[in-house]
Structures are given as structure tokens and as C-alpha cells.
Amino acid sequence: MILVAGATGQLGGLIVHTLLAKGFRVRILVRQGTADGALVTAGAEAVTGDLKDPGSLAAACDGVDTVLTTANSSARGGRDTVDSVDRLGNRNLIEAAASAGVGRFIFVSNLGASPASPNPFMAAKGETELLLRGSTMSWTIIQPNLFMDKLPVLVVGIPALSRQPVTLVGEGRRAHSLVAMRDVAQYVLAAVEHPEWDGRVLVLGGPEAVSWRDVVAAFEQELRRSIPVRTIPPGQPVPGMPDLLAGFLALLETYDSRLEVADLAAQYGVVPTSLRSWVHRFVLEFSGSPAGAVHKA
């Protein structure tokens, strides 16, 4: 039995469907009132719980062999904060799993996570990694780079498909090894299937490092038209863009994150998704969605 926390999120849902397709028994931790129908229909067992409620976690971990979490506070609000979810919540989950006799724990962290990070989110992830390393359980820590499925959609994909200009913070020429979520799900599956590989930190990226200019070019090639681009100096407010997002995009303009993943991908049986193939699939899926139909009209 595998308990998945964060299952109703985009990455967590992909992981759950991937595990179910391989015949694993999956239990998903969901909060009261959370929509989980599609996952239950697919074969997952739902249990009500919350990372902020240690008692609910003890019950959820009962009879579980492996705990896997992608849960984080990035898309939440209210009482769900970096401190309550990413720091204390993950601590609660690790302690509950260890107390319940869970043998393995897989933690989806972030590239750059460190207790010494000035970013509270990255610091909390780093603290969780240290706590997991010191637990009695076998563990795998997964540190993905930026997801193709997140920022490229917001910064380039949606504006481009809506025939609006793309706004870049800075010149958009820094290179980052973007990784597709479906690749991360395949790495997780391989980690689950190979307990002999426990005790590793998997640093994940795509097959090539790309810039925001490369992302724009990939959408132009797929859409067969030019996309207008405007640039805003880092540190300046961006119309229509939350300050948090603009600040993060400014941070990405201060460094490159090039990763070599060929050897790791070969060992784990993952074929890394290129930016070009991801854009092709995204445009097809978007065009077939209700939102895409509205934009095409």
C-alpha cells in the first residue's frame, strides 16, 4: 500500500494514475470536501486527513508500506502556509509514518532546497530533507528543476494561445533544464519499483537547458506564427502578473540551471521529454479543452 499526500494536485494526480496503471494499491490523503472522484474512480482509496492534523496522519499511515508526498503550500492560502504545511506538516507526516512502521518514504522536494536558503519555501524543503535522512525509514528525495507544465504555461503558453503579447522579466536568455511532470512521475514509479535504489537524491531536469526565448520559439514553431514579446526590467512591476511571480521570474534571470540527466534517465528507464514535444502536446490538449475552444473562437 502506498499513501500519497498531495494527490489532488497536478503532479500528485499524475503520480497516482501512473502507480495505479502499474497495479499498485494506492491510498490518497485528502482533506474534507476535496474533489477526489476521478482518482477514486481510477482505483485509489481515499482517506480523510490533513498535514496539520497529526492524529489524522496516524490513521492514514496504518497498514502503509510506502509514503509519498508532493504536498506543498504554493497554491494554497489561509491556514496553509510554508510554516504550517511545508515545515510542520511534512514533519508531522514523517513522524506519523515512522511511528506507524512505514518502511519507505519518497519526498518530492525542489532543486535548490536547503535549510540555509534565504527563501522560506526552499528552506522548509531543505529542513524536511534533513529530517527524512535522520529517520528510521528508507528514503528517496526527488529534486526536480522547474516544471514545463507550470511557468511556461503562465508566461508564454496562455498569452500565446490567446494571441496576446508575451511578457518576459529581463531578457529571458538564462538557460534552465525544464522538466515535464510526466517524467517526474516516471522517476517516482521507478523509485517505487526499485527499493534497492533507496537512499538517493534524484536531481531531475529535461534533456536540454532552454531559455524563455527558446520557449517562445517553440510555441512559434508549433503555432506557425510569430509571437510578440515585450520585456520588463527585473524588479519592476509587471501589469497583470502577481508580484510573487514577477519576483521569481526576476530571480531566474540571475543564474542558469543546466543539468546533465542522460545517465540517470537511462538507469531509471525514463525518456526525457523535450521542450518541443511538450509544447506540441500542450497545444493539442489546450485546443481540445473548453478554454481552448473559447480562445480559438
Side-chain angles (χ1 to χ4, degrees), residues 23-267:
F24 287 99
R25 295 173 60 213
V26 180
R27 179 183 296 169
I28 57 174
L29 182 72
V30 295
R31 296 188 294 177
Q32 191 70 41
T34 300
D36 57 13
L39 296 174
V40 172
T41 299
E45 169 195 326
V47 59
T48 302
D50 193 312
L51 294 185
K52 301 188 297 296
D53 178 4
S56 70
L57 300 180
C61 289
D62 184 42
V64 168
D65 303 293
T66 300
V67 169
L68 189 160
T69 180
T70 65
N72 64 80
S73 64
S74 63
R76 298 182 179 181
R79 295 176 56 239
D80 294 326
T81 65
V82 168
D83 193 57
S84 67
V85 174
D86 298 283
R87 180 174 290 108
L88 298 178
N90 278 324
R91 175 183 291 273
N92 291 338
L93 184 58
I94 290 172
E95 291 177 349
S99 296
V102 172
R104 305 176 68 202
F105 198 108
I106 299 175
F107 176 52
V108 179
S109 184
N110 286 86
L111 180 66
S114 168
S117 174
N119 180 285
F121 183 79
M122 291 296 193
K125 292 292 188 185
E127 291 172 19
T128 301
E129 291 184 13
L130 283 181
L131 185 64
L132 184 56
R133 288 170 181 266
S135 75
T136 58
M137 297 177 286
S138 297
W139 52 266
T140 295
I141 293 169
I142 297 177
Q143 294 184 341
N145 204 341
L146 302 168
F147 294 129
M148 293 180 186
D149 317 60
K150 291 289 189 179
L151 286 181
V153 172
L154 296 174
V155 176
V156 181
I158 299 301
L161 289 164
S162 303
R163 294 186 176 272
Q164 298 297 315
V166 166
T167 301
L168 300 181
V169 176
E171 290 302 312
R173 302 192 187 280
R174 289 289 193 173
H176 301 279
S177 296
L178 306 180
V179 61
M181 283 188 180
R182 65 174 182 256
D183 293 356
V184 178
Q186 291 300 315
Y187 279 106
V188 169
L189 173 63
V192 169
E193 291 180 323
H194 294 277
E196 69 274 17
W197 294 345
D198 283 353
R200 297 183 180 184
V201 177
L202 309 185
V203 179
L204 307 183
E208 72 271 316
V210 297
S211 69
W212 286 115
R213 299 284 179 171
D214 295 325
V215 176
V216 172
F219 273 96
E220 287 181 326
Q221 183 178 356
E222 182 65 30
L223 298 174
R224 299 182 182 179
R225 57 179 168 83
S226 62
I227 298 171
V229 174
R230 61 185 180 186
T231 60
I232 302 277
Q236 297 295 314
V238 182
M241 185 179 291
D243 291 342
L244 184 64
L245 176 57
F248 186 64
L249 293 174
L251 176 64
L252 293 178
E253 283 295 289
T254 65
Y255 68 98
D256 297 310
S257 57
R258 300 176 182 272
L259 301 175
E260 296 294 334
V261 300
D263 291 344
L264 184 67
Q267 180 181 0

Side-chain angles (χ1 to χ4, degrees), residues 283-297:
V283 170
L284 286 178
E285 292 177 349
F286 184 89
S287 298
S289 70
V294 169
H295 284 296
K296 284 193 297 183

